[in-house]
Amino acid sequence: MRQGKVLLAEDDAAMRAMLAEELGRRGLEVRAFARSEEAFRAFPEEAFDVVLTDLRMPGMSGIALCERIAANDPDVPVIVLTAFGSLESAVAAIRAGAFDFVSKPVEMEVLAIAIARALEHRALRREVRVLHEAVQRAGRFEDLLGKSPPMLDLFSVLERAADSEASLLLVGESGTGKEVVARAVHARSRRSRGPFAAVNCGALPDPLVESELFGHARGAFTDARRDRKGIFFQADGGTLFLDEIGDGSPSFQAKVLRALEERRARPLGSDREIPFDVRLVSATHRELEAPVEEGRFREDLYFRINVVRVRIPPLRERGSDVLLLAQHFVEGLAARSERPPPRLSDAAARMLLDYAWPGNVRELRNAMERAVTLARGDLLTAEDLPEKIRSYRPERVLVGSEDPTELVPMEELERRYIGNVLRAVRGNKTTAARVLGFDRKTLYRKIARYGIEAPA
């Protein structure tokens, strides 16, 4: 049995002595009292893990003691001893906040199991509180959360860049929270009282680019029944967020560049240009140097948007931030469902730490939503996590090993190493080819040959 300290209230001297002796043999420390009033006076003075009380006591009843304990420290479980077959008494005890009840005459094995469960419950509640406090103490930048070195470095850069007017380029994998970062920068800037407007550049078809970016005048086309502000003017006086700017078409790039250079634009169908005042924050899930070199992204636009480059670390580089974020999501999801937040089991926590998180923070939140939905009671177990997390096995390249079962053929070694390099450079094939000593054509051929899924 887990060790712990038991507060015992029992008016029968023989029963009190027997319980104290038997529980002591099981490694528990017991403080026994003949009256509930005496037990309650001792409660605040010492750190008890479990309270065990008879239901019928002279003076303050066991129900009343249970209610007072619950009011003073709801994390300490109370077990009530009731007369055999007294269902009404058991129900009353549970309503008063009791954790469990055991019928008299007491069977010590049954009582020992109840106390073991209570001690486990107490430990879980304590661990949940510790992790919750760690979430509260963790580093923050607006809605961003983390205490790992990469995140603390990110907070430092954002703190210095937030109040400037310089254009920011956020570079990070899909799901790392680029829009959350953009909104955090806006909230810390001198433009925080102005609007924040966002657009996904890769989702704009060419025929709609001009209308979406700069708006249109009434009658500009068949369905234009009234004037409409484009995204550049919606953000006037605030922050304009161009998400996935690297996916923008050539037409999109040309129109954005001209608008940024002149700080004015003409709505579709209008005969005059209108000035705008925005702080630009752009984002991309891939490095733009290679597209610039290959002529797929305009160099002049690249220099315009890339005044301050901010790299957002993927979740796999953030260490124990995974558990902080998981706890943060669990608490929020549980509160939304009006239920106590379940605690992460050790096995579930280890799986979360081991997993590579290709979908980053977005994938973690989805996994926690599923887990909270399926969790039973106050423990979130490994079985509540998605199957791909439970079955994940990290790919490690073992070069020196004395265990023949860990050695792999050269082709498998090459496949794993190419995959690791591509993940390390976030899918930038130009950089990966340079690291590997290949030309780009050779790299593409090997990716196809081995079926490697390179990060986008």
Side-chain angles (χ1 to χ4, degrees):
M1 181 181 292
R2 182 191 293 265
Q3 291 186 345
K5 192 170 185 178
V6 178
L7 175 63
L8 171 63
E10 169 61 65
D11 61 320
D12 184 288
M15 175 66 73
R16 185 169 66 250
M18 185 273 290
L19 290 175
E21 181 180 355
E22 290 292 334
L23 295 178
R25 288 177 180 174
R26 286 168 167 76
L28 298 169
E29 181 182 350
V30 182
R31 287 288 310 280
F33 297 90
R35 297 179 62 86
S36 295
E37 291 86 353
E38 296 172 352
F40 185 67
R41 281 195 295 271
F43 180 74
E45 299 173 1
E46 303 180 46
F48 290 101
D49 297 299
V50 179
V51 174
L52 178 63
T53 179
D54 191 9
L55 182 66
R56 300 188 182 280
M57 300 276 288
M60 184 195 303
S61 69
I63 293 291
L65 176 61
C66 182
E67 290 174 339
R68 292 196 180 187
I69 297 292
N72 279 267
D73 191 344
D75 287 348
V76 176
V78 179
I79 298 174
V80 174
L81 302 176
T82 69
F84 179 76
S86 179
L87 181 60
E88 290 182 3
S89 298
V91 171
I94 297 300
R95 286 177 176 171
F99 172 77
D100 203 352
F101 65 91
V102 174
S103 297
K104 286 185 173 182
V106 176
E107 294 183 26
M108 283 308 304
E109 291 306 316
V110 173
L111 179 59
I113 291 172
I115 292 177
R117 289 179 58 247
L119 288 170
E120 181 67 20
H121 172 79
R122 167 74 162 156
L124 294 180
R125 292 292 293 268
R126 185 184 294 118
E127 290 177 21
V128 167
R129 185 169 59 252
V130 167
L131 191 51
H132 172 75
E133 291 169 355
V135 170
Q136 302 308 309
R137 292 195 306 270
R140 286 181 179 271
F141 185 90
E142 298 299 324
D143 289 336
L144 299 169
L145 174 69
K147 63 177 184 179
S148 62
M151 287 303 289
L152 296 180
D153 289 344
L154 175 63
F155 296 161
S156 176
V157 172
L158 296 180
E159 193 74 56
R160 287 174 283 162
D163 210 29
S164 75
E165 289 294 300
S167 297
L168 300 186
L169 178 61
L170 310 180
V171 182
E173 296 175 10
S174 178
T176 49
K178 295 185 287 294
E179 184 167 345
V180 177
V181 172
R183 290 183 180 276
V185 169
H186 172 71
R188 287 288 182 95
S189 73
R190 65 187 65 154
R191 293 174 175 266
S192 59
R193 295 190 178 184
F196 177 93
V199 63
N200 187 325
C201 305
L204 291 180
D206 274 350
L208 298 180
V209 165
E210 205 163 354
S211 176
E212 288 297 318
L213 295 181
F214 311 123
H216 58 253
R218 180 185 178 191
F221 46 86
T222 303
D223 293 328
R225 297 185 176 87
R226 64 176 185 271
D227 292 350
R228 179 183 178 278
K229 279 186 175 183
I231 198 76
F232 272 77
F233 300 111
Q234 293 175 30
D236 190 44
T239 301
L240 172 62
F241 178 53
L242 300 180
D243 195 12
E244 300 302 352
I245 193 168
D247 296 338
S249 67
S251 172
F252 166 87
Q253 295 176 36
K255 289 179 171 61
V256 168
L257 176 63
R258 183 175 184 276
L260 293 177
E261 287 177 339
E262 300 185 5
R263 312 299 292 184
R264 60 177 58 240
R266 177 182 294 133
L268 191 64
S270 175
D271 58 0
R272 66 188 182 90
E273 291 189 330
I274 304 172
F276 59 82
D277 172 31
V278 300
R279 196 277 178 84
L280 182 68
V281 179
S282 306
T284 175
H285 68 280
R286 58 167 64 93
E287 300 285 354
L288 294 180
E289 287 83 355
V292 169
E293 290 177 8
E294 297 163 2
R296 293 184 288 110
F297 194 86
R298 296 183 64 119
E299 186 178 42
D300 42 6
L301 177 58
Y302 176 69
F303 289 126
R304 176 72 64 174
I305 64 175
N306 187 26
V307 177
V308 179
R309 180 186 180 279
V310 179
R311 179 179 178 266
I312 304 173
L315 191 53
R316 64 179 173 275
E317 295 181 5
R318 295 176 55 181
S320 61
D321 279 358
V322 171
L323 297 185
L324 281 177
L325 289 167
Q327 178 67 20
H328 174 69
F329 292 142
V330 165
E331 291 181 3
L333 293 163
R336 194 171 69 186
S337 302
E338 298 183 347
R339 56 178 287 193
R343 166 193 170 266
L344 283 170
S345 70
D346 292 343
R350 173 47 53 194
M351 288 181 179
L352 295 180
L353 289 171
D354 286 344
Y355 187 59
W357 299 109
N360 291 292
V361 178
R362 183 186 298 129
E363 183 181 9
L364 175 61
R365 190 190 188 286
N366 289 344
M368 290 302 98
E369 184 165 13
R370 177 192 191 276
V372 169
T373 301
L374 298 181
R376 299 173 180 173
D378 57 5
L379 188 64
L380 193 155
T381 67
E383 287 69 30
D384 300 322
L385 298 174
E387 195 278 333
K388 63 179 178 179
I389 296 176
R390 300 197 306 270
S391 62
Y392 177 76
R393 297 294 181 271
E395 282 199 345
R396 296 184 176 90
V397 179
L398 296 175
V399 177
S401 176
E402 296 180 359
D403 183 353
T405 64
E406 293 182 341
L407 300 177
V408 297
M410 183 62 71
E411 286 193 353
E412 175 64 11
L413 193 67
E414 184 178 55
R415 183 191 71 80
R416 293 187 188 183
Y417 186 61
I418 292 173
N420 287 346
V421 170
L422 283 166
R423 284 189 288 273
V425 300
R426 299 177 295 282
N428 187 322
K429 296 181 179 62
T430 299
T431 304
R434 187 165 58 247
V435 170
L436 293 163
F438 300 154
D439 57 45
R440 284 173 59 86
K441 288 184 180 179
T442 301
L443 176 60
Y444 278 112
R445 190 167 61 249
K446 288 182 179 290
I447 288 174
R449 175 184 176 185
Y450 293 132
I452 298 171
E453 295 185 7

